[in-house]
């Protein structure tokens, strides 16, 4: 199947941002994900955030790994270069791209299988290297694209669509990012656009390694068993793995709640997610209490959302490597080649 | 009893204990010959271990200029009691054994057909130096001093090098000079005429330099414009990345700001190092990684991505003994197939085969050009022998009028001019498409890079014809690569020859010496050194022109031969393998022996068949 191009019909009444772009200019191809997939809501939030930030779309490089989540960069910012790399190892590709041209904005998009299993090493190291990027982890607790296996973020005791029980402990990517040295750490919920958009905007503006774990329900595999036949809308889901199964279309889960409040959000599988939004007085610059906060909430069965940690004096990999301001990919022969006369000197020292 | 006698033509081997500080003294010894105009080629033979285990340093002295290992040892400097017995065994009959005679050794420790030369090294060190650590280090200089006297090496040449190394005033200069003198005087007083091997000034080194292949390749990356290097430590490639660091710090710092015009990342593993290179190559920086076999194994998924998504990547494979961890500190040429076909699916990659440091330099810069030109992974295939040993070679050369070939990158102006941009369109018919770099243009030229199938406009597509179009175009691109890799080098026999020989890389010095020796035995061979894959047409033509062609390589499975048969349309029946793969660098003796043996078989008239077969 060939991807569907989206016709660009601009309604004259569409609102333009400061640099003259409408939201449509930040869109990409039509999504091929399941209707109701949380990942599509995150794409929508990204479109909104970039539009609100008045960023020229082509100044963004969007990189991802492999998975449903990793396909999403094709569905927003159609005028920026995208890179769908290999499973779990987007962080290294993003690091290399960033080293080559420090002048662009780097957006990393990944899934929980991608980042917390096969890519856990690269996830940890990209944070400790403090690559300047916004890293969005679209966390659904399962492997979507390979049809429903547990991911490493699945809670211990949770059940898969096939009826298996997960006995492993869950990887908490937010704690890990904090521990590894990320300078901006947040958690959002795909259905809470009001909270997610500002978090994304802040992550993009952050001059270092910014990480947002976004809880993002999977309509296909967080669907309770037996319900797969009760659909009213059928859609062949996925082109990449030639999937023949069909999933019911669902309305994306959306929530709206106040700072400091908790909310119980029913998931597609009937389970309930308890989200607690950080209150206005939370001190996000204190790493130790951020860690404590996350742990306490987890003990109460809650998932804290909001900006958990922000290093006040963040710096990035280029600063640590002390590289020139000119992007390395723009340096010319004269900048790079020491020349024949220098080589003669080097030769002379080798006799 | 036989006494070996030779001037400027012998092999000296040092048997030491790793970590005893012998390396720099041994190198000093080798370099003294060079300063006296006599070619040498030293080889480090070291264990996969840091301290305490045996290590050897073998120096071939050859006024004629043969730079391969010769095989056999004429003078052994036996400083390691652990390996004494095998070291003694290795000596040629009539050879010499220099040893520390501070403690008496029973006669059973020697051989009747060799000449022991005792120097009380420990005694001398203890008598003249108070500090225990210094005593250990100066022992190495004491034997170098004794050797200088025994072999007629010029003491001042050695002294000058010590002064250069430690810069005039240092205390180290003093103690080293004193130890050198101590050994020299002892040997002069007690051992005059003990050894029949002599050094004599000659004029056969010329302008040549003495450099490790890894350092030369690192310089090639600097000169070739690499700005991003990502690597993970692995013997024997680590010193390449470290040399790149060293040269960048010296040659690539912006004078005005003091800031770096390079980025070097010691990654967490090879998966990350190749990923960083892929990302940098995608974004238009020249990038490389240096690794060895196990690293290449880990990188293969990304190499397949770079091949299919068409991203410039330079990989330097300093080969070592495989499979698995194999012999990590020994040399081989056994990653050919792993690199030529790295990754799943139908893939083929460009390989370059340097024969020593000078080509390491040239081909590293060339690899960066070819990767950009072809938008594909390019492998520089060196090995431990080339990489970690110093070799005498022609000075490195750079033409200042040379410009980097950045390949087909469309600029904003190109896009504005209204040219059709299809990321995977074969506009020029050479299989190489045009690319744009991220950030080039507000509304033209952006595309999505993926390892999944797509059409000529980079739109995701699993349609059969779209897939086949790209796969066929990649083959066309590979055919273009054939015209861009370095041509093979022919060494014609001095007399008309029935036999051909194909060889490559670090086998070259031994091969050249062997051709000479074979000619001496009346076996004339035309030799072709292959320097790049895909093989230029000259390779198949060469094979066609000879009824039998020897293929000399340092691996068990005849990997070069397999590639020749698979990829150059050459019949296997014409090819005879000469294989050496015990981890030591191949010697001329070995090649000569093998080729002469087989050649004699073919030169004999064929026996008449007992029965005619209809
Ligand atoms: C090396 C490798 N192993 C396995 C796969 C198969 N695979 C594709 S996507 C995926 C998991 C995706 O899960 P996740 O990252 O959570 O993304 P989601 O689809 O749930 O959004 C796996 C295992 C692969 N593509 N590459
Ligand atoms: S399988 Fe799950 S993650 Fe993948 S598109 Fe469908 S709902 Fe989203």
């Amino acid at each position: 199947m060939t991807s569907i191009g989206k016709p660009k019909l601009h309604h004259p009444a569409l609102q333009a941002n400061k640099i003259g772009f409408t939201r449509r200019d930040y869109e990409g191809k039509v999504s091929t994900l399941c209707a109701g997939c949380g990942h599509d809501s995150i794409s929508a939030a990204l479109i909104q955030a970039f539009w609100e930030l008045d960023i020229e779309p082509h100044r963004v490089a969007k990189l991802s790994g492999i998975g449903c989540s990793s396909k999403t960069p094709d569905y927003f910012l159609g005028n920026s270069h995208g890179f769908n790399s290999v499973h779990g190892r987007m962080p290294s590709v993003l690091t290399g791209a960033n080293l080559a041209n420090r002048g662009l904005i780097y957006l990393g998009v990944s899934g929980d299988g991608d980042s917390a299993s096969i890519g856990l090493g690269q996830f940890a190291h990209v944070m400790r290297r403090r690559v300047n990027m916004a890293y969005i982890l679209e966390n659904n607790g399962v492997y979507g694209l390979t049809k429903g296996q547990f991911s490493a973020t699945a809670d211990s005791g949770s059940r898969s669509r096939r009826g298996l029980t997960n006995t492993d402990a869950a990887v908490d990517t937010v704690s890990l990012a904090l521990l590894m040295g990320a300078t901006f750490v947040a958690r959002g919920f795909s259905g809470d656009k009001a909270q997610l958009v500002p978090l994304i905007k802040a992550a993009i503006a952050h001059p270092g390694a910014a990480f947002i774990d976004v809880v993002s329900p999977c309509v296909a595999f967080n669907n309770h068993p037996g319900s797969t036949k009760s659909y009213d809308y059928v859609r062949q889901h996925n082109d990449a793995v030639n999937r023949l199964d069909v999933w019911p279309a669902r309305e994306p889960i959306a929530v709206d709640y106040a700072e400091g409040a908790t909310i119980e959000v029913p998931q597609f599988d009937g389970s309930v997610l308890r989200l607690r939004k950080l209150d206005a007085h939370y001190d996000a610059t204190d790493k130790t209490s951020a860690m404590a906060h996350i742990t306490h909430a987890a003990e109460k069965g809650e998932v804290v959302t909001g900006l958990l940690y922000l290093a006040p004096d963040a710096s990035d990999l280029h600063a640590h490597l002390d590289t020139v301001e000119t992007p390395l990919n723009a340096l010319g022969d004269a900048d790079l080649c020491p020349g024949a006369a220098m080589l003669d000197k080097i030769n002379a020292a080798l006799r | 009893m036989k006494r070996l006698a030779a001037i400027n033509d012998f092999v000296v081997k040092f048997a030491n204990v790793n970590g005893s500080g012998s390396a720099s003294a041994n190198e000093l010894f080798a370099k003294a010959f060079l300063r006296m105009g006599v070619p040498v080629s030293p080889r480090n033979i070291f264990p996969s271990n840091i301290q305490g285990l045996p290590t050897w340093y073998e120096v071939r002295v050859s006024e004629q200029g043969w730079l391969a290992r010769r095989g056999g040892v004429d003078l052994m400097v036996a400083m390691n009691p652990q390996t004494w017995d095998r070291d003694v065994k290795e000596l040629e009959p009539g050879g010499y054994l220099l040893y520390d005679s501070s403690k008496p050794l029973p006669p059973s420790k020697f051989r009747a057909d060799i000449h022991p030369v005792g120097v009380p090294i420990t005694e001398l060190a203890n008598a003249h130096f108070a500090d225990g650590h210094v005593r250990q280090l100066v022992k190495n200089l004491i034997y170098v001093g004794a050797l200088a006297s025994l072999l007629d090496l010029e003491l001042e040449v050695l002294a000058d090098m010590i002064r250069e190394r430690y810069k005039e005033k240092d205390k180290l200069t003093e103690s080293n000079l004193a130890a050198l003198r101590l050994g020299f005087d002892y040997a002069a007083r007690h051992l005059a005429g003990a050894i029949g091997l002599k050094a004599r000034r000659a004029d056969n080194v010329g302008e040549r330099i003495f450099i490790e292949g890894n350092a030369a390749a690192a310089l090639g990356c600097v000169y070739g414009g690499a700005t991003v290097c990502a690597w993970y430590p692995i013997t024997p490639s680590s010193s390449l990345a470290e040399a790149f660091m060293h040269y960048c710090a010296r040659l690539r710092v912006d004078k005005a700001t003091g800031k770096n015009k390079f980025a070097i990342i010691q990654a967490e593993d090879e998966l990350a190092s190749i990923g960083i290179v892929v990302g940098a190559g995608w974004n238009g920086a020249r990038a490389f990684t240096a690794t060895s076999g196990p690293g290449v194994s880990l990188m293969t998924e990304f190499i397949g991505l770079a091949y299919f998504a068409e991203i410039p990547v330079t990989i330097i494979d300093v080969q070592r003994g495989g499979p698995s961890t194999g012999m990590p500190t020994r040399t081989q040429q056994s990653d050919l197939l792993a690199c030529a076909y790295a990754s799943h699916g139908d893939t083929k990659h460009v390989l370059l085969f340097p024969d020593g440091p000078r080509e390491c330099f040239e081909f590293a810069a060339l690899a960066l050009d070819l990767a950009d030109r072809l938008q594909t992974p390019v492998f520089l295939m060196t090995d431990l022998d080339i990489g970690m040993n110093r070799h005498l070679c022609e000075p490195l050369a750079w033409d200042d009028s040379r410009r980097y070939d950045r390949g087909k990158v469309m600029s904003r102006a190109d896009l504005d001019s209204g040219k059709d941009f299809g990321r995977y369109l074969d506009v020029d018919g050479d299989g190489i498409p045009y690319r744009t770099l991220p950030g080039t243009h507000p509304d033209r030229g952006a595309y999505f890079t993926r390892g999944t199938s797509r059409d000529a406009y980079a739109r995701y597509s699993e349609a059969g014809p779209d897939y086949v179009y790209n796969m066929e175009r990649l083959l066309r691109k590979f055919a273009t690569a054939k015209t861009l890799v370095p041509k093979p080098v022919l060494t014609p026999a001095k007399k008309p020859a029935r036999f051909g020989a194909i060889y490559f890389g670090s086998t070259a010095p031994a091969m050249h010496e062997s051709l000479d020796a074979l000619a001496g035995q009346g076996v004339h061979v035309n030799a072709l050194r292959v320097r790049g894959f895909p093989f230029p047409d000259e390779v198949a033509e060469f094979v066609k022109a000879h009824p039998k062609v020897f293929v000399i390589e340092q691996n068990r499975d005849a990997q070069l031969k397999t590639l020749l048969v698979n990829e150059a349309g050459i019949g296997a029946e014409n090819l005879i393998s000469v294989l050496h793969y015990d981890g030591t660098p191949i010697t001329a003796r070995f090649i000569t022996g093998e080729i002469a043996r087989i050649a004699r078989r073919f030169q004999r008239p064929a026996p008449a068949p007992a029965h005619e077969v209809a």
Side-chain angles (χ1 to χ4, degrees), chain B residues 284-521:
Chain B
R286 296 200 142 184
F288 77 97
T289 183
T291 189
S292 193
V296 172
S297 291
L298 280 176
M299 291 176 186
T300 52
E301 188 190 13
F302 255 132
I303 292 166
L305 172 79
Y307 172 78
F308 194 51
E310 304 186 56
I311 297 165
V313 166
T314 295
I315 299 153
I316 305 180
D317 179 11
V318 189
Q319 297 166 89
R320 63 188 212 180
S324 187
T325 316
M327 293 198 287
T329 62
R330 310 290 156 148
T331 197
Q332 260 179 12
Q333 299 175 307
S334 52
D335 296 347
L336 257 59
L337 293 174
C339 293
Y341 300 124
S343 204
H344 53 276
D346 290 326
T347 57
K348 295 180 207 258
H349 307 294
V350 177
L351 313 177
L352 303 178
F353 306 114
D355 69 341
R358 175 147 164 150
E359 282 189 348
C360 279
F361 174 79
E362 285 173 8
F363 290 5
L366 175 66
L368 292 159
D369 271 353
L370 287 182
D372 268 354
R373 165 59 38 190
L374 294 162
Q375 298 173 31
T376 202
V378 175
F379 288 83
L380 181 67
M381 306 293 293
T382 85
D383 59 28
L384 182 143
D385 184 19
I386 295 177
M388 289 191 73
N389 289 312
R390 284 199 186 223
H391 300 265
L392 199 57
C393 70
E394 292 303 315
L396 308 180
W398 187 262
D399 175 0
D400 279 336
S401 68
R402 173 174 172 166
R403 291 288 163 267
Y404 300 149
D405 180 356
R406 301 275 182 152
K408 300 184 188 181
V409 180
M410 283 176 97
S411 65
R412 185 167 179 154
D414 293 334
L415 292 165
D416 276 335
S417 75
K419 277 187 202 149
D420 183 25
F421 173 71
R423 169 64 181 113
Y424 297 109
L425 270 183
D426 189 0
V427 180
D428 304 320
D430 57 1
I432 309 170
Y434 285 79
R435 63 176 180 144
T436 56
L437 301 182
T440 301
H441 198 285
D443 50 39
R444 303 207 55 205
Y447 65 94
F448 211 83
T449 301
R450 44 163 69 85
T452 328
S453 180
R454 69 277 151 157
D455 66 9
Y457 289 85
R459 291 173 301 216
Y460 174 78
S461 166
E462 283 179 24
D466 285 335
Y467 174 77
V468 171
Y469 160 78
N470 273 310
M471 292 302 280
E472 294 276 318
R473 186 177 48 70
L474 286 168
L475 277 185
R476 219 150 42 237
K477 178 155 93 170
F478 204 60
T480 302
K482 189 164 87 167
T483 66
L484 300 177
V485 298
K487 295 252 179 264
V489 180
L490 177 73
T491 306
K494 294 204 179 72
K495 297 216 175 130
R498 292 177 61 208
F499 295 110
I502 290 182
Y503 65 106
F504 72 106
S506 62
T507 310
M511 190 65 208
H512 297 158
E513 184 179 351
S514 172
L515 290 172
D516 216 50
L518 285 164
Q521 300 179 21

Side-chain angles (χ1 to χ4, degrees), chain A residues 162-179:
Chain A
R162 290 194 183 83
L164 301 173
T165 303
N166 177 31
T167 53
D168 297 336
V171 171
D172 179 34
T173 54
V174 155
S175 309
L176 189 62
L178 260 179
L179 203 62

Side-chain angles (χ1 to χ4, degrees), chain A residues 3 74 81-82 84 89 97 106 122 129 239 321-322 324 329 331 333 335-336 339-340 343 347 350-351, chain B residues 207 210 223 252 259-261 268 272 276 283 301 396 400 403-404 406 436 439 447 449-450 460 462:
Chain A
S3 307
D74 215 6
H81 279 64
N84 209 185
R89 277 146 292 152
Y106 291 89
Q122 295 221 339
R129 269 186 205 112
D239 36 49
L321 294 175
D322 204 17
V324 286
N329 72 353
L331 295 172
D333 297 38
D335 280 310
L336 299 177
L343 197 55
N347 281 322
L350 293 165
R351 290 195 177 103
Chain B
E207 285 298 288
F210 193 49
Y223 273 75
R252 274 281 187 74
K259 289 190 174 288
N260 298 326
K261 293 187 278 186
E268 60 271 28
I276 290 169
N283 212 357
E301 188 190 13
L396 308 180
D400 279 336
R403 291 288 163 267
Y404 300 149
R406 301 275 182 152
T436 56
Y447 65 94
T449 301
R450 44 163 69 85
Y460 174 78
E462 283 179 24

Side-chain angles (χ1 to χ4, degrees), chain A residues 33-34 37-39 68 140 144-145 217-221 237 243 247:
Chain A
L33 303 184
C34 306
C37 174
H39 300 349
C68 298
N140 56 16
L145 197 58
C218 168
V219 61
F221 300 107
H237 169 72
R243 183 182 287 158
W247 316 114

Side-chain angles (χ1 to χ4, degrees), chain B residues 33-208:
Chain B
F33 285 90
L34 294 180
R35 295 270 174 113
M36 287 172 64
V38 182
V40 290
S41 64
R43 283 190 170 72
N44 283 296
I45 303 156
F46 58 101
S48 174
N49 178 286
I50 306 303
Q51 214 159 15
L53 280 189
T55 168
W56 292 270
Y57 187 74
E58 190 178 288
V59 183
R60 175 162 192 199
V61 179
S62 167
E63 186 171 336
Q64 260 191 294
W66 299 126
L67 299 177
R69 277 186 82 212
R70 186 198 68 183
V73 178
D74 301 325
L75 166 57
M76 180 70 75
V77 180
M79 297 298 290
N80 186 354
Q82 265 182 292
T83 59
W84 176 277
D85 292 337
R86 63 196 261 209
D87 293 336
V88 170
K89 221 182 259 168
E90 230 184 299
L91 272 168
E92 300 280 296
Y96 306 92
L97 180 77
L98 185 93
Y99 71 104
D100 184 352
S101 57
S102 303
K103 274 193 205 134
L105 284 166
S108 63
K109 282 285 178 197
F110 300 93
R111 253 166 60 188
D113 62 342
I114 60 160
H115 306 275
V117 181
V119 178
I121 298 172
T122 307
E123 223 171 80
L124 290 170
N126 292 355
H128 291 84
F129 298 90
D131 181 287
H133 180 61
V134 174
R135 277 179 178 174
Q136 179 51 42
L137 290 177
V138 295
K139 281 186 190 172
N140 305 309
L141 271 300
I142 294 177
Y143 67 66
V144 172
L147 285 169
S149 164
L150 290 161
L151 298 172
D152 289 351
L153 276 177
E154 293 171 22
L155 195 63
E156 258 325 284
V157 166
L158 286 159
D160 279 346
M161 281 191 289
I162 290 174
R163 287 186 204 108
E164 278 168 33
R165 177 169 299 168
Y166 302 112
K167 305 282 177 299
E168 282 305 333
K169 277 170 269 140
D170 207 318
K171 262 205 185 126
L172 277 168
T173 314
E174 265 170 52
S175 55
N176 277 292
L177 285 176
L180 186 75
R181 186 90 233 173
L182 211 55
F184 186 88
D185 289 345
Y186 180 88
R189 222 172 301 130
H190 304 279
L191 300 168
I195 285 183
L197 310 171
K198 296 291 170 208
R200 187 180 62 192
R201 260 196 189 267
D203 194 12
N204 286 2
V205 172
E207 285 298 288
R208 279 185 286 179

